Structure formats: C-alpha cells, structure tokens
Amino acid sequence: MSVQPQPWPDPDPEIAAAIRGMYSGRREVPLAVRFRDRFGELFADDQFAVAFGQRGKPGWSPGRLALVTVLQKAENLTDRQAAEAVRTSLTWKYALGLDLKDPGFDHSVLSEFRSRVVTHGLEEKVLDLLLAELVRQGLLETGGKQRTDSTHVISAVRDLSQLDLAGEAVRAALEALVCAAPHWVEQVIDVPSWSRRYGDRIPGWHTPASQAKRARLALALDFGRDGFALLTAVHASTSPAWLRELPAVQVLRCVLVQSYTRTLSGSGREVVKRREAKVDGLPPGHRRLTSPYDTDARRSVKGDTMWNGFKIHISETCQAPEPAAVGNNAGPGQGGHSRVPRPNLVTNVTTTDATVPDNAMLDPIHQVLQRRRLLPGDHYLDSGYASAELIVGSLKRFGVALVIPMLDDQSRQGRAKEGFATHDFRIDWPGRQAVCPAGQTSTTWSPCLQAGVAKTVVTFSTRDCGPCPLRPKCTTSKLGRRQLALQPQEMHEALQGARAQQETKEWKHNYALRAGVEGTIHQATAVTGIRRARYHGLRKTHLDHVYSAVALNLIRLDAWWNGHPLDRTRTSHLTRLELSLAA
C-alpha cells in the first residue's frame, strides 16, 4: 500500500448545508463537526507517511484514518461500525471531507493502519499533535498542576491456569507448525492421537474433587512430555532449522522451562516433573508468561484486585474551579466571560505490563512531559508513587514538586504508633552522630549498602541503652541497644519533612485535588473501555490507550466549547439547575 500525502478536501458544500440546517439555533453540533471546524487538518498525512510505501496500490489517507480511529474511540465502536459510520454518517463525512457518494473503506483497513503505526513507532503521534495545538491555542502550558494515577487493564486473552497454559502452549505450537510445514508434522507425530487432545482449545479440567488432584497431575505430565517431544523433534538435525525460529515454538520453550523440570533417572530414563516453587523455584513475575497468544500480558495483584494483563498510567491537568474566567478561559458564546474553567486535559498515558510498580514509572512520565514541554509545577500522586528518592530527584531533575502522601515509618515503633521512631531522634549530620530522646549520643556511624541502597547504620552503646528507663519504648533487641538505618541526608530530610507536612489541614485540603483523577479513570472506562484490552500485545494496547486519551480530550473540549460545567456526581436536579444557571 502506498500513500502520497495530500491536503484534506474541504467539507462537501451539500453536506455542510445539511448540517447547518439540522443543527441550527441552539442545537449543539456533534463532536466530529466541531473538531473539523476548530482544528481543520490536525492529523496531516505527512505525519504518518513514514509508515507507508511510496509505490504500490494507493491507500486511504492515514491522517483521516487517525481521525476515524479517534472518533471510533469517542463513540466506542468496533471496526465494522466505524467503517459503516464513514459511509453513512453526515457528521463523519463532514469531518473527513468526503462527498455523499464516497463508499469509504473496508473495515480491515483500520487493523492494517494500527499495525503500520505500531511497527513504525507512531503510537503517540496523534496525542503529540493535539497537545501541541492546544499549547499553541493557550489551553495548555508548562507549570501548573497535574495529577496521575494508574489502573489495571485486563488482557484480550483467556485467563489460563498453569495446567491450561501448558496445554495451550503445545496446541499453539502445533497449529503454527502445521501451517508452516504440514508434511513435516505428519512425519514426526501421530496426527490422529494428537488431534484428539489438541484439536480444540484446552477447555479446562473439571473432575470430581476426589479425583481432581491425581487427574490434573497426570494431564499436566502428559502436556509436558508432549511439549518436550515436540521441541526435540523441532531441534533434530534432520528438521528444517527455521522451524525453531517460529514465535509459537519459542513460546512453548519458555512455558516448558517455567512449568517443568527434566532430569535423568539412575537408569538413564528421562523424567519430566512439574516445577515446584519451593523446591525448583519459579521465574520472576515480570518474566512469567501467562498466555501463548499474548506474550506481553502478566499476572499481578494490587490490594484485593487480581488480574492478568497490563497497567495504564493517566496524567491530566487539574485546577480548582474558578469563580470567573476571562479571555482564553471563556467558552464560546459567553461574551468573553464564563464561569466554566478550562477543561482538565489528559497530557500523557503510559502502558506497562501488570507487574511494573507505580514508582518505577514516575521518571519516564516526567521525561515524556518534558519532551512535550508540559511538565507540571506540582504533581499530585497517591502513595504507590511515593519514595524519598523520587521527591528529591523530581525536584532536582525536572523542577517538579511532588504532592504525595508518604508511607508511615516501617520500623516496629512506627507501625505500632508507640515508642520512639526514627523521627524522634535528632541527627547531627556534620558530626556523624545521632542523639536519642533520652539525650544519649550514638557510638558508631557506618555507611553501607542495604539491598543495593545507600544507607547509614547508626548504633547506640549497650552501656547507655541497658540502664535507660525509656528502653522499653525504644528497643526490644536482644543485643540491648538501638540501631537506626538512615537514608542519605537529603532524602532523609525530605522524607521527614513530607511526613510532618502531610499531617497539616492545609496539606490535606490541597491534596484533595488529586481525587479528581478517579473520575477521569471512570470516564475513560465508561466511554472508551480502557480496562479491557482490545488487542494482543503491549504496543497495540498502548496505541489503543493513546487514541482513547485523544478522544477524552476532544469530548472535554467539546463540552467546554459548549459552556457545559464540569459534571458532579450525587447531585440533585435542583443543584444541577443552579449550576447551569451559574454557568
């Protein structure tokens, strides 16, 4: 498929006249029409041209396909429904510059477009273009306040037990081998017997409770022996070398390694056993495959939520409602004045596998925001992103102050909320010593590494701690003395300062602004369905999240342009009437 970048055609005059007639007076024009009128050719073809060839059959405009994908997310449509909307919806034809008789395209074009965008690393292009235009229009700027939170994303594959995973891995490899080399397969396996076991998807094992454990073990060993036999045949010297490079064969190898052990008995016979975590060990969670059909999905737990898939981090601007707004803050048709504040807009979405902790993603998020010149001055986050290193590093590297609740002191005294925790000791950094609440001075100051992290271990003398009347509140150590493990001075002081500050009413009132990101996650889930991946693989799932973010921004901008106040939950009809009159 080839693409020659072309300017978008102007909206068809006949369609434009029909829309003006249908949406005259106080009727609000649809989002697609509003987008074309406000942004014009925002997603130009040349922004996506690198993903398409210069020769071959001419393809559909990639810029307009990008807009179709955004509108598809805004209305939560399937590919078939989106392609049908291009053919039949006047508002979509207006936005795309099509005439009434334009037949549109086959729905499979959207899938090919997404594949090409992912292959050439253009997943975030549409969000970059929209945010750059909003910066130009004065709706976004560096500094200010932003908030970020994460939520789980369930993969688009069936959740498999370890038993089902082994069987499906063998089945997937067989399917790939039969497609690639059917004659080779019929020579190395008994096709009828293997077909009875692997012809259909592994349905799960349902046996009476009295027989379940023994039956599952027998079936698991059968899957393991079959898998190893298949890999042995693939790696035989007489087999084509390219067979072992098939992705499904590589997945089978990984699943067998993480699920089974293979040893030789005293008689030289090969013995296949299920891998036991306590005896044989298991791969770390971020490397453990959960499906042969989506090798990026991972299983994770957060609180009482268990899922298999991914995680999305959403960042958006935020500000407290203003009593009045002037100039750029005013919505259209308000005479330059409006009580509707600027909309909170999504500035970044990051997608990871489910095992990546939240605090590991804060620096990458700041790096992307820095590239877009949208770094906030204050960044509101929950405790999942909290660490002393991030508080100091974000301010030093990016100039971003984190508004974040720090976890309590994890020492025994800190967890129990009684006795003397680390913050009760006075640290003399220049003198390299600490003073306890009883006035005793530490005797040793020992820099070291604990789990790869720089710490300083401060120890008090047994002669001082032994007879101290405050000892029961300070330590129960069998050595009869207190020890402290201190972070480097800058981080220690930042941590203690943050813990003290978050106890004040002013900080709690200010931090309440973070709660609004929960509403954004709910809107993204309700409108675009981000909690369930539509596609296989991390990169395509991230592509879906980026287009969802653009769709959310356009929905919010459309509401702002029309003068709609920010929605509030649990409000009466009378309160809503009051809000509409105030706007």
Side-chain angles (χ1 to χ4, degrees), residues 325-499:
V326 184
N328 285 336
N329 289 356
Q334 302 295 321
H337 298 273
S338 175
R339 291 184 180 272
V340 182
R342 286 192 296 181
N344 297 327
L345 299 173
V346 178
T347 56
N348 183 63
V349 289
T350 301
T351 311
T352 69
D353 73 65
T355 62
V356 178
D358 289 351
N359 58 14
M361 294 310 301
L362 190 55
D363 269 1
I365 290 171
H366 284 160
Q367 290 169 13
V368 175
L369 292 175
Q370 185 179 51
R371 174 177 63 81
R372 291 174 174 154
R373 299 181 181 179
L374 289 175
L375 276 173
D378 297 324
H379 201 168
Y380 293 74
L381 306 123
D382 66 18
S383 57
Y385 297 87
S387 75
E389 293 87 347
L390 289 175
I391 290 179
V392 174
S394 296
L395 191 60
K396 185 178 296 184
R397 293 180 57 196
F398 303 104
V400 176
L402 302 186
V403 184
I404 185 170
M406 302 302 297
L407 298 176
D408 292 334
D409 191 325
Q410 294 303 298
S411 65
R412 179 186 62 81
Q413 297 86 349
R415 294 195 304 270
K417 300 293 184 181
E418 60 182 21
F420 301 125
T422 304
H423 63 267
D424 295 311
F425 289 74
R426 182 169 58 85
I427 311 300
D428 179 8
W429 296 97
R432 296 167 63 88
Q433 60 185 11
V435 180
C436 76
Q440 300 296 334
T441 303
S442 61
T443 56
T444 65
W445 180 280
S446 307
C448 65
L449 288 177
Q450 291 184 356
V453 178
K455 293 287 184 70
T456 298
V457 176
V458 179
T459 307
F460 289 81
S461 171
T462 305
R463 292 193 302 271
D464 295 330
C465 293
C468 180
L470 300 179
R471 178 184 167 189
K473 292 185 177 182
C474 189
T475 182
T476 58
S477 170
K478 293 181 180 179
L479 298 176
R481 62 186 182 185
R482 179 66 185 268
Q483 281 189 334
L484 301 176
L486 305 178
Q487 293 180 306
Q489 179 180 358
E490 191 176 18
M491 296 178 186
H492 175 84
E493 293 176 346
L495 179 60
Q496 299 304 323
R499 284 175 176 164

Side-chain angles (χ1 to χ4, degrees), residues 2 40 43 74 116 174 332 337 356 368 385 428 508 530 540 559:
S2 66
F43 307 137
R116 288 179 176 271
L174 269 176
H337 298 273
V356 178
V368 175
Y385 297 87
D428 179 8
K508 293 177 180 179
I530 61 163
K540 275 199 173 182

Side-chain angles (χ1 to χ4, degrees), residues 222-238:
D222 287 341
F223 288 154
R225 295 187 190 102
D226 289 346
F228 282 119
L230 192 60
L231 282 184
T232 300
V234 167
H235 286 81
S237 59
T238 56

Side-chain angles (χ1 to χ4, degrees), residues 41-334:
E41 187 184 342
L42 179 61
F43 307 137
D45 286 352
D46 57 7
Q47 297 291 336
F48 303 89
V50 67
F52 297 84
Q54 298 296 317
R55 297 182 178 180
K57 182 180 178 180
W60 233 71
S61 160
R64 287 192 278 179
L65 286 175
L67 178 57
V68 169
T69 307
V70 170
L71 296 176
Q72 175 188 7
K73 296 302 300 180
E75 300 185 23
N76 201 14
L77 304 178
T78 65
D79 286 356
R80 290 181 184 274
Q81 291 170 331
E84 186 65 19
V86 171
R87 284 188 288 271
T88 61
S89 172
L90 290 182
T91 58
W92 283 40
K93 285 182 178 291
Y94 179 93
L96 298 169
L98 304 178
D99 59 47
L100 283 172
K101 297 181 180 179
D102 194 293
F105 52 81
D106 186 78
H107 71 276
S108 61
V109 171
L110 289 173
S111 177
E112 183 177 354
F113 168 74
R114 290 191 297 268
S115 297
R116 288 179 176 271
V117 167
V118 167
T119 301
H120 290 81
L122 300 176
E123 297 97 323
E124 300 197 358
K125 178 61 71 174
V126 289
L127 185 58
D128 287 340
L129 292 172
L130 176 62
L131 295 178
E133 177 61 20
L134 294 177
V135 169
R136 191 188 68 79
Q137 294 186 14
L139 291 175
L140 285 176
E141 58 192 3
T142 191
K145 300 178 179 181
Q146 292 189 35
R147 53 197 177 198
T148 297
D149 201 5
S150 66
T151 190
H152 63 279
V153 179
I154 301 172
S155 63
V157 292
R158 187 164 57 110
D159 200 10
L160 299 173
S161 66
Q162 288 301 308
L163 174 63
D164 296 337
L165 172 62
E168 280 292 344
V170 177
R171 178 175 174 269
L174 269 176
E175 289 291 301
L177 289 168
V178 169
C179 290
H183 298 298
W184 177 87
V185 172
E186 68 184 19
Q187 293 173 6
V188 299
I189 67 170
D190 180 10
V191 174
S193 64
W194 283 59
S195 181
R196 282 192 294 272
R197 179 172 291 169
Y198 302 107
D200 297 320
R201 77 174 193 173
I202 306 300
W205 191 248
H206 304 285
T207 59
S210 60
Q211 304 174 14
K213 186 174 182 180
R214 181 178 300 176
R216 288 195 186 99
L217 178 59
L219 187 58
L221 293 178
D222 287 341
F223 288 154
R225 295 187 190 102
D226 289 346
F228 282 119
L230 192 60
L231 282 184
T232 300
V234 167
H235 286 81
S237 59
T238 56
S239 300
W242 56 268
L243 289 180
R244 65 195 68 169
E245 302 300 327
L246 293 175
V249 173
Q250 296 293 325
V251 169
L252 174 60
R253 182 181 62 82
C254 293
V255 170
L256 292 178
V257 168
Q258 76 180 36
S259 302
Y260 298 93
T261 61
R262 187 166 56 162
T263 58
L264 293 177
S265 65
S267 61
R269 186 172 63 88
E270 183 179 82
V271 178
V272 175
K273 293 183 179 180
R274 295 191 72 178
R275 184 178 291 274
E276 298 181 19
K278 294 182 179 180
V279 178
D280 308 302
L282 291 174
H286 68 277
R287 291 187 177 276
R288 204 177 306 160
L289 299 184
T290 60
S291 172
Y293 308 112
D294 189 343
T295 56
D296 292 331
R298 295 292 184 270
R299 190 169 283 110
S300 187
V301 179
K302 185 176 183 180
D304 58 355
T305 302
M306 301 177 62
W307 78 100
N308 178 40
F310 311 95
K311 190 186 290 186
I312 179 176
H313 301 257
I314 301 178
S315 303
E316 67 168 356
T317 59
C318 58
Q319 63 272 331
E322 301 171 1
V326 184
N328 285 336
N329 289 356
Q334 302 295 321

